[in-house]
Amino acid sequence: MKKRIIIGSIMIAIIALIVVLFFYINNTYSDDNIISKGYKIYGSDYCSKDDDNPMHEDSEHRMLAGTAITPYKCQLCNKKYQHPNTAIPKICSSCANITGRCMQCGKLKNK
């Protein structure tokens, strides 16, 4: 009888832990959290890159880069990605779409 109570208690504790982790992970990577983290890290400045000029280059938007598969970590969602050259972006394309920010510099895109 005591074994059943102990096993039942352990099962309830495991299920409760899984539920708490599920809600924590979903809350951590929600769009609202990613957007607020973008404002916290990069502020509300706008990107200097002009989308109409594909030849725009500055210190944050490099055109020349080495050819190598380069790993990088998105600064907003903390997921690891690979980029086809050494001019790695600061945020991934998913976070850039969610927040309306430039992948290279992390600043808000000009509308």
Side-chain angles (χ1 to χ4, degrees):
M1 185 70 174
K2 287 184 180 182
K3 272 188 171 180
R4 287 185 181 174
I5 293 173
I6 292 172
I7 291 173
S9 299
I10 290 172
M11 294 296 284
I12 290 172
I14 290 172
I15 291 171
L17 181 64
I18 290 171
V19 168
V20 167
L21 286 174
F22 176 76
F23 284 115
Y24 175 75
I25 289 170
N26 280 343
N27 192 27
T28 302
Y29 295 114
S30 71
D31 290 357
D32 292 336
N33 281 348
I34 290 175
I35 291 169
S36 66
K37 191 171 181 182
Y39 278 105
K40 183 190 278 186
I41 294 173
Y42 301 110
S44 57
D45 293 336
Y46 284 91
C47 176
S48 61
K49 183 177 180 180
D50 183 10
D51 288 336
D52 295 334
N53 181 9
M55 301 303 283
H56 175 86
E57 181 177 22
D58 60 18
S59 63
E60 294 177 322
H61 304 91
R62 301 191 191 284
M63 289 183 60
L64 295 175
T67 304
I69 303 296
T70 311
Y72 75 98
K73 185 175 175 182
C74 175
Q75 294 181 358
L76 296 182
C77 67
N78 294 321
K79 293 181 183 175
K80 294 181 180 180
Y81 295 95
Q82 291 186 345
H83 196 65
N85 59 44
T86 58
I88 59 171
K90 292 187 177 183
I91 60 176
C92 66
S93 61
S94 176
C95 288
N97 288 335
I98 290 169
T99 61
R101 295 180 175 275
C102 174
M103 285 179 62
Q104 283 76 30
C105 66
K107 296 178 182 173
L108 292 168
K109 284 188 173 182
N110 293 322
K111 299 267 176 172

